[in-house]
């Protein structure tokens, strides 16, 4: 099911980060998924966006792994962009 354009715009805005590397990865991910983003991915992004920039970068750079196994597919997708 396609995401509402307003909700998608809000999510894109929330993906903007202070650390350029995070910002670029999240932007590319959102460009690739667009309105086809799944509910599970939105839920996962909500959780990841609560992390500090440095914690998020450590996950995306592969320095750490998510404690929650449910986040692993999303982190892998983010790393692949």
């Amino acid at each position: 099911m396609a995401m509402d354009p307003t909700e998608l715009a809000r999510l894109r805005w929330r993906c903007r980060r202070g650390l350029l590397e995070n910002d670029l990865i999240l932007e590319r991910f959102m460009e690739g998924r667009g309105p086809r983003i799944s509910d599970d991915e939105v839920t996962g992004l909500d959780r990841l966006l609560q992390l500090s920039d440095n914690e998020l970068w450590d996950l995306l750079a592969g320095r750490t792994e998510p404690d929650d196994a449910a986040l692993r597919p999303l982190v892998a997708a983010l790393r692949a962009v």
Side-chain angles (χ1 to χ4, degrees):
M1 179 180 203
M3 187 175 212
D4 174 88
T6 302
E7 291 176 10
L8 184 61
R10 284 185 185 133
L11 181 58
R12 285 180 191 268
W13 180 256
R14 288 185 44 231
C15 284
R16 297 188 65 201
R17 303 300 292 215
L19 189 64
L20 179 61
E21 291 84 351
N22 288 340
D23 197 42
L24 292 173
I25 289 171
L26 291 168
E27 181 180 325
R28 288 179 190 148
F29 178 79
M30 292 301 296
E31 284 295 319
R33 292 296 198 269
R36 298 175 296 112
I37 192 168
S38 73
D39 291 339
D40 287 341
E41 290 171 331
V42 171
T43 300
L45 276 175
D46 284 339
R47 294 185 55 208
L48 292 177
L49 294 173
Q50 293 176 23
L51 298 173
S52 72
D53 278 342
N54 290 332
E55 290 172 317
L56 181 58
W57 176 241
D58 285 345
L59 277 175
L60 298 180
R63 294 183 188 137
T64 60
E65 294 297 325
D67 293 331
D68 184 349
L71 291 175
R72 290 184 183 143
L74 176 59
V75 170
L78 287 163
R79 288 176 181 168
V81 296

